[in-house]
Amino acid sequence: MFDVLVVGAGPAGLNAAMVLGRQRREVIVVDRGTPRNAPAEEMHMFLSRDGADPARLREIGRTELAAYPSVTLCEDTVTTITGEEGTFRAELAGGDVLDARRVLLATGLTDHLPDIPGLRERFGRTVRHCPFCHGWESRDQPLAVLGGSLVAALQARYIADRFSEDVVLVANGPLEVDDAVRRSLTDHGIHVEERPITRLDGDDDLRIVFSGGGVLGRAALFAFPSTTAQTDLGQRLGAEVLPDGCVAVDAFGRTGVPGVSAAGDGARSGELPGPAASVIAAAGSGATAAMWLEQELFRIDLDLPLPT
Ligand SMILES: Cc1cc2nc3c(=O)[nH]c(=O)nc-3n(C[C@H](O)[C@H](O)[C@H](O)COP(=O)(O)OP(=O)(O)OC[C@H]3O[C@@H](n4cnc5c(N)ncnc54)[C@H](O)[C@@H]3O)c2cc1C
């Protein structure tokens, strides 16, 4: 019987495992190798690691965990978790069965990219997902923002305000905003392009090819994909799931299901409009959830009052 089953070995799961391993808890971390930022070669917004390869961060994390003998790393997929606080049972795709007193879900999010030929291959490089992560690297260059919704129009205003005087909103069809919003784009120097996109071309020189043959050269395209949870394990355990697929957690990282915590991109407070999706926030929330799990386990074992 493990003390804690951690599902997911991104920054949230790895950091949680380190916190628990350092308290000599028996921890198993199961990961299927699909971290959200796999397409990215650089990560930013992480003090001391600005510009580092995100795969290298995970590799260092795994190496550091090897120093804690009570932590086991396992490459597999958790398909089902049943049971209750104290006696959870997880089934893995590879056939193994694991028993654990507590479950910590650190399973992250999946990005859903628009179905435009050539976009997926460029995601994480010239197709960007977030101005916090990669706006700085795109500064003062010709940029495009993808989408025909009000949200896309607001994002174009943001990119134009923070990063570049040369921003085109490529709506890939009709831009569905009212006249006031459309005027605010043109008043701020944002050109609107409504021709459907046929494909993306180019390497570092991104080329957006439109139906009819026109081409727009840009340094980067901000695509802002929608996201959903990587797994529905939380939902199947009975946890509250927010409209964006994240599992609702309290300040301790606890879901409403006794014994089940969650951390990282796929977990957030219902009071926030969305996840603070970043590597450092994920690692921090993994640490927080693990510290409170540890408090709970030790108080139960020693028959002491639980933290409230
Ligand atoms: C292209 C791109 C670039 C990014 N750049 C930055 C950046 O520069 N800076 C920044 O701060 N953030 C960046 N991010 C966001 C960053 O990737 C996430 O915030 C971070 O990875 C979240 O960590 P996590 O541990 O919550 O989830 P993840 O890193 O996604 O890890 C979740 C893990 O859980 C595993 N898993 C899921 N379900 C199961 C299951 N059933 N069984 C076993 N394992 C499972 C997955 O395989 C995965 O390894 C970027 C995101 C993208 C898409």
Side-chain angles (χ1 to χ4, degrees):
M1 168 79 73
F2 290 97
D3 289 312
V4 182
L5 161 65
V6 179
V7 190
L14 289 173
N15 220 38
M18 173 173 278
V19 169
L20 292 163
R22 291 177 54 77
Q23 304 311 306
R24 312 175 89 172
R25 288 290 168 195
E26 294 295 328
V27 179
I28 178 118
V29 187
V30 184
D31 186 82
R32 67 179 181 194
T34 54
R36 185 176 172 204
N37 56 4
E41 289 163 3
E42 282 183 13
M43 63 171 217
H44 298 278
M45 295 198 299
F46 196 120
L47 197 63
S48 84
R49 294 288 178 275
D50 197 27
D53 179 348
R56 178 81 185 119
L57 179 89
R58 289 186 294 274
E59 190 185 311
I60 293 170
R62 284 168 172 270
T63 305
E64 288 176 349
L65 282 180
Y68 302 101
S70 65
V71 178
T72 306
L73 288 166
C74 163
E75 286 174 27
D76 210 328
T77 300
V78 176
T79 53
T80 315
I81 303 175
T82 51
E84 57 188 35
E85 188 173 42
T87 57
F88 289 105
R89 170 157 288 189
E91 290 175 22
L92 310 192
D96 285 342
V97 172
L98 305 170
D99 292 320
R101 299 169 68 195
R102 295 288 184 277
V103 171
L104 173 51
L105 300 172
T107 45
L109 295 174
T110 301
D111 292 277
H112 300 282
L113 300 174
D115 190 15
I116 296 173
L119 189 142
R120 181 170 297 279
E121 300 89 294
R122 290 168 179 78
F123 186 54
R125 296 184 300 116
T126 49
V127 177
R128 314 273 201 195
H129 84 298
C130 155
F132 282 93
C133 296
H134 300 287
W136 174 261
E137 285 62 44
S138 313
R139 70 195 183 283
D140 304 326
Q141 299 177 63
L143 302 176
V145 173
L146 178 64
S149 64
L150 175 61
V151 173
L154 297 177
Q155 285 157 341
R157 286 287 314 272
Y158 184 78
I159 300 281
D161 182 63
R162 296 290 76 215
F163 295 113
S164 174
E165 290 179 353
D166 181 1
V167 174
V168 178
L169 177 57
V170 283
N172 194 22
L175 175 62
E176 287 165 358
V177 298
D178 62 26
D179 289 347
V181 173
R182 195 178 275 269
R183 245 190 337 271
S184 90
L185 292 167
T186 43
D187 286 353
H188 290 86
I190 300 165
H191 176 70
V192 177
E193 175 56 77
E194 294 180 283
R195 281 179 293 175
I197 300 170
T198 311
R199 63 177 191 281
L200 302 186
D201 269 351
D203 202 2
D204 286 339
D205 57 330
L206 179 68
R207 292 190 299 278
I208 304 169
V209 183
F210 297 102
S211 146
V215 176
L216 176 69
R218 299 278 95 180
L221 169 71
F222 282 84
F224 299 100
S226 62
T227 54
T228 53
Q230 275 213 39
T231 68
D232 63 354
L233 288 171
Q235 191 173 10
R236 283 190 278 143
L237 279 161
E240 183 194 351
V241 176
L242 298 165
D244 57 8
C246 288
V247 172
V249 290
D250 64 13
F252 299 83
R254 297 178 301 200
T255 70
V257 181
V260 181
S261 299
D265 274 16
R268 69 177 175 89
S269 157
E271 288 168 24
L272 297 174
S278 73
V279 177
I280 204 157
S285 69
T288 302
M291 283 192 265
W292 287 112
L293 269 177
E294 173 55 32
Q295 286 295 316
E296 209 178 274
L297 287 170
F298 121 81
R299 288 170 196 230
I300 283 171
D301 291 345
L302 275 60
D303 205 15
L304 297 168
L306 290 173
T308 50

